[in-house]
Amino acid sequence: MKKTLINNEIHVISNGKMPLTKFVEKATLIDSYVDYFHLREKATSAKDLSHCIDHMLQAGIQLDKIIVNDRVDVALTKQVKRVQLNYQSIDTADVKRTFPTLHVGKSVHSLREAMKEEENGADSIMFGHIFDSPSKRALLPRGLTSLQEITKEMTIPVIAIGGIRPDNVKKVFYMGAKGVAIMSGIWESDDPLSAVKDFSRRVPHASTH
C-alpha cells in the first residue's frame, strides 16, 4: 500500500555527493514515503539538473513532488512548481513579483530573517539547523526553542532541517513545524527505504492509503 502523509511533510534533500543517476534510482525506491524531493546540487550544471528532472519523471516521480534549489531558471524551464532559495539566490520578492504562481521557499537562520522573507512573499521557510548535524559540525544547533519561536510568529509553513532523526522527529512537529527536511538520515543509511519508513512511522498524523 502507498504511504501518504496528512498535514505533515517529509522533504528529502539530495546531498550533491552521489551521481544523479544513483540519486534518481534511490529516490524512486523511497518515493511512496516522501512528500517532496529537493534537488540541491550546487556543483551541477543547469543541463545536468534538467536531465535529472527528466529522469525522475521517467521513473514515475510526480512533477509536483520536485523542488529545485536556487535554480529558478531550471525550475521554470522544466515546469517545476516549487523552488527553494538560499542566501545566495535571487531575492524572494523579485521571484514572486515576476513569477507569482511559483511556490517559493526560503532558507533562513533566525526569526528576523523568517519574518522578513514572509513579508517578501515567501510561501514557506526552511529553518535550521535544529540539532547537531554531521554537515554543520562547526556551528551550534539552533534548537527546538528557536524553532517554536518562529512557528508561533509565521503564518506560512515552516520546514525544519538539521540533525533530524527518527528518535527526535516528533519533537520538531510538536514545536509547530509543518515538515522536516532530511538528507544524511536517508542517504547515509545502508538501507534508505528502511530509514524513510522509520521516519514515516514516527511523523504525527501519518496514515496509510
Side-chain angles (χ1 to χ4, degrees):
M1 287 186 293
K2 184 174 181 178
K3 189 80 167 182
T4 57
L5 298 176
I6 297 176
N7 297 325
N8 297 325
E9 300 170 349
I10 293 179
H11 296 236
V12 174
I13 303 178
S14 69
N15 61 12
K17 298 178 181 179
M18 71 181 84
L20 291 177
T21 52
K22 179 63 70 173
F23 165 76
V24 174
E25 178 184 323
K26 291 187 175 183
T28 305
L29 182 67
I30 66 175
D31 179 37
S32 295
Y33 295 85
V34 177
D35 292 278
Y36 295 102
F37 289 101
H38 290 244
L39 289 174
R40 186 166 74 177
E41 299 289 323
K42 299 178 181 179
T44 300
S45 69
K47 182 178 181 179
D48 287 343
L49 198 58
S50 296
H51 288 166
C52 180
I53 294 171
D54 290 337
H55 293 156
M56 292 175 75
L57 297 176
Q58 291 165 7
I61 296 174
Q62 296 178 10
L63 184 66
D64 288 351
K65 297 179 73 168
I66 299 173
I67 299 176
V68 176
N69 283 45
D70 186 43
R71 297 303 302 261
V72 177
D73 56 338
V74 173
L76 292 169
T77 301
K78 305 308 293 184
Q79 298 183 315
V80 172
K81 299 176 181 179
R82 291 173 176 255
V83 295
Q84 182 71 30
L85 306 180
N86 58 49
Y87 72 97
Q88 293 178 321
S89 301
I90 303 171
D91 287 345
T92 301
D94 290 338
V95 176
K96 287 300 294 186
R97 187 182 307 113
T98 310
F99 308 105
T101 62
L102 190 65
H103 180 107
V104 177
K106 183 62 183 279
S107 299
V108 302
H109 301 95
S110 69
L111 175 59
R112 182 178 179 180
E113 288 180 17
M115 294 177 69
K116 177 183 177 183
E117 292 304 330
E118 183 171 17
E119 291 176 1
N120 286 340
D123 297 292
S124 62
I125 62 167
M126 185 176 289
F127 174 72
H129 61 295
I130 307 300
F131 304 106
D132 285 320
S133 172
S135 62
K136 304 283 186 181
R137 296 238 182 247
L139 299 173
L140 290 174
R142 291 175 172 84
L144 291 169
T145 300
S146 295
L147 173 62
Q148 187 176 42
E149 289 175 352
I150 288 180
T151 61
K152 283 184 175 180
E153 293 292 332
M154 295 292 99
T155 62
I156 57 177
V158 178
I159 311 302
I161 188 172
I164 296 171
R165 308 182 306 272
D167 63 351
N168 63 30
V169 68
K170 284 186 179 180
K171 297 177 182 178
V172 173
F173 287 107
Y174 292 156
M175 293 298 106
K178 169 71 172 177
V180 291
I182 310 159
M183 186 165 58
S184 59
I186 299 295
W187 304 126
E188 293 182 14
S189 170
D190 293 331
D191 188 346
L193 181 57
S194 293
V196 76
K197 285 182 178 180
D198 198 8
F199 276 105
S200 183
R201 280 193 297 267
R202 300 178 192 231
V203 170
H205 310 302
S207 66
T208 303
H209 296 280

